[in-house]
Amino acid sequence: MSAMNDLDLKLKEAENLIDQTKEAILSLHELLSSNQNGEQCNDEQPKRDPVEDKVTVRKMLAKKSAEGYTAQVKALLHKFGAEKLSDVDPKDYEDLYYSAEGLGQ
């Protein structure tokens, strides 16, 4: 009889987990459909600091150059229409960073 009690307990636990999952799915569905109906999320991305971004990009470029990818770093800068980092448009810093991060991989 103990095995039946254990089985019954496990079935009740499974039923509770299924109910919780259903509730979570319904909540997500409601959230997604409300956003599709024209409601905007209040989660605006914080404004980026171009100076801080430039420092971060400079560190990545220096790291890759030190790893022996100097020619590729220069090619990346040319790809973004620049001879040096200060010539790169700040809106391109993020793309430049991730492009540099991919060097050597």
Side-chain angles (χ1 to χ4, degrees):
M1 194 68 167
S2 176
M4 290 298 287
N5 287 341
D6 287 344
L7 182 60
D8 188 47
L9 181 63
K10 290 193 184 288
L11 285 173
K12 286 180 182 177
E13 288 174 3
E15 185 178 354
N16 286 337
L17 288 173
I18 290 171
D19 288 341
Q20 290 173 0
T21 304
K22 283 181 185 177
E23 289 175 17
I25 290 171
L26 287 173
S27 295
L28 287 172
H29 180 66
E30 288 174 11
L31 179 65
L32 289 174
S33 55
S34 70
N35 282 340
Q36 289 176 351
N37 292 333
E39 292 182 22
Q40 297 293 324
C41 287
N42 292 334
D43 299 335
E44 290 184 23
Q45 289 186 342
K47 295 196 179 202
R48 298 186 65 118
D49 180 7
V51 174
E52 187 177 311
D53 288 348
K54 187 175 184 178
V55 170
T56 303
V57 173
R58 186 178 308 280
K59 286 179 184 177
M60 176 57 72
L61 294 177
K63 174 185 172 193
K64 290 300 180 175
S65 186
E67 291 175 357
Y69 300 107
T70 304
Q72 291 90 334
V73 167
K74 287 181 181 181
L76 271 178
L77 288 171
H78 287 197
K79 177 182 170 186
F80 287 91
E83 288 292 320
K84 53 189 178 185
L85 182 57
S86 58
D87 297 335
V88 174
D89 188 337
K91 69 177 176 60
D92 292 329
Y93 287 162
E94 185 174 9
D95 290 336
L96 177 57
Y97 177 88
Y98 288 117
S99 296
E101 188 176 50
L103 291 176
Q105 294 183 4

